[in-house]
Amino acid sequence: SCFCPNLEKVIILSAYGSHNATISIYYKGKYIVCELERFLSSKNIGLCAYMPAHNMQLAFDQAVDWLLSQTDRSDVDIYLPGYMNDKYIVPKFNYKELVKVDHHSAHASGAFFQSPYEESLVFTVDGGGDNILAAAYLANRKDGPKHLETFTKDLGYAYMILAHYLEDIKKESLTIGNLVYAGKLMGLCAYGEVIDEWMPHFMEFYDTYDYSTGYFIGGTETSYKAVTTLMKNIGVTDFDFENTRFSGQFAYNLAATTQRAFEETFFKYT
């Protein structure tokens, strides 16, 4: 509603070009979404940024053509690109207005406008995107999210890295694991119990180390020291940073305890 007084009469096309790329259309009160990993049968694939498609322009054109074929129009009123490199992908459809939205504001909007609230604080903890790890916003229905503060503490990397050592979670390279580990670990933690005597060591694990290096998957040297120290402190005597995989109730308790430590550290900073 910030861009047009009557959304029922406009067609909005958004395209996100990084990993898990998605192109979507909003028209006449209906959303139509094309997830590129389903469209191209390639897990987590992007368009032109992280994990780019082999033929970026062709993939984009075919997805857009299909989406527009689901409407009664061939043009677009508002085009919303995110991580779309115009060196590699040039829209072939006509559009009236191009609006660029930063990555974390988009996350904040997606959360807020699907909530029941008229006004809310919104926190994003993504670990990346427009060179921001986490941020805070104040959002309302009229103006959307207004940026309040940017956080430099990378809690997401510390959270996801333990999934690398849990047998129930498929082991991936960290270039893939950093995309999928967090959600799987959050599901697994429901089977475990928080171990109170572990908590001080997990709090240290989140609070002491700085994982936010210039690398997009965090600092390997930092995570090695952090993880091996954590395991030693909770009594794991034969931990191997490269090869150890935990299973059963011990693994579930690791997941539950790291979930609790993440939450407490998050509230401390926010």
Side-chain angles (χ1 to χ4, degrees):
S1 60
C2 298
F3 311 127
C4 185
N6 188 353
L7 286 177
E8 293 300 313
K9 295 182 179 181
V10 304
I11 188 166
I12 303 172
L13 186 144
S14 65
Y16 177 68
S18 190
H19 65 84
N20 298 91
T22 301
I23 306 172
S24 60
I25 274 181
Y26 176 84
Y27 186 46
K28 294 183 177 179
K30 181 180 180 180
Y31 292 98
I32 309 171
V33 179
C34 178
E35 296 178 347
L36 265 292
E37 69 171 6
R38 304 298 180 91
F39 191 65
L40 300 176
S41 297
S42 182
K43 187 69 174 172
N44 301 313
I45 197 168
L47 266 174
C48 53
Y50 197 88
M51 301 180 69
H54 177 67
N55 193 320
M56 307 172 196
Q57 184 73 58
L58 180 61
F60 178 76
D61 290 343
Q62 288 184 337
V64 169
D65 287 348
W66 178 80
L67 287 165
L68 286 173
S69 74
Q70 307 303 300
T71 75
D72 56 6
R73 291 178 55 178
S74 60
D75 63 327
V76 171
D77 292 298
I78 300 170
Y79 175 42
L80 301 171
Y83 283 89
M84 294 292 292
N85 191 327
D86 55 16
K87 179 181 178 180
Y88 302 109
I89 296 179
V90 178
K92 295 182 180 178
F93 52 86
N94 294 320
Y95 59 86
K96 298 176 183 176
E97 185 177 2
L98 183 146
V99 180
K100 292 187 176 181
V101 180
D102 75 85
H103 191 75
H104 281 254
S105 292
H107 276 308
S109 297
F112 174 70
F113 285 110
Q114 294 180 84
S115 78
Y117 305 115
E118 293 299 315
E119 184 178 56
S120 179
L121 279 170
V122 184
F123 296 98
T124 60
V125 185
D126 191 20
D130 295 331
N131 298 312
I132 293 176
L133 297 170
Y137 298 83
L138 181 63
N140 63 55
R141 294 280 162 182
K142 179 177 182 294
D143 302 315
K146 176 184 177 182
H147 179 261
L148 297 178
E149 188 168 349
T150 296
F151 300 102
T152 58
K153 191 72 172 175
D154 187 359
L155 302 181
Y157 184 91
Y159 181 80
M160 74 88 188
I161 189 64
L162 289 184
H164 204 54
Y165 304 101
L166 304 183
E167 190 68 44
D168 285 287
I169 296 175
K170 180 184 176 182
K171 190 172 185 178
E172 307 272 10
S173 69
L174 284 183
T175 55
I176 301 297
N178 82 101
L179 306 179
V180 300
Y181 276 167
K184 294 181 179 182
L185 191 148
M186 186 166 59
L188 197 63
C189 77
Y191 295 91
E193 298 179 0
V194 175
I195 306 301
D196 291 335
E197 55 265 34
W198 290 356
M199 278 296 294
H201 307 301
F202 273 85
M203 294 298 292
E204 178 186 35
F205 173 71
Y206 280 97
D207 211 19
T208 302
Y209 300 96
D210 181 10
Y211 302 93
S212 53
T213 70
Y215 299 98
F216 63 91
I217 57 170
T220 302
E221 291 182 2
T222 299
S223 60
Y224 174 82
K225 182 178 180 181
V227 174
T228 52
T229 300
L230 172 65
M231 294 304 164
K232 179 181 178 181
N233 287 341
I234 66 172
V236 179
T237 57
D238 55 350
F239 178 73
D240 183 322
F241 185 75
E242 296 295 336
N243 300 308
T244 294
R245 300 280 281 165
F246 299 110
S247 61
Q249 195 60 47
F250 186 85
Y252 306 153
N253 293 346
L254 281 176
T257 307
T258 201
Q259 175 73 28
R260 175 69 60 81
F262 170 86
E263 292 170 2
E264 292 194 9
T265 309
F266 170 79
F267 283 119
K268 173 184 174 180
Y269 283 96
T270 55

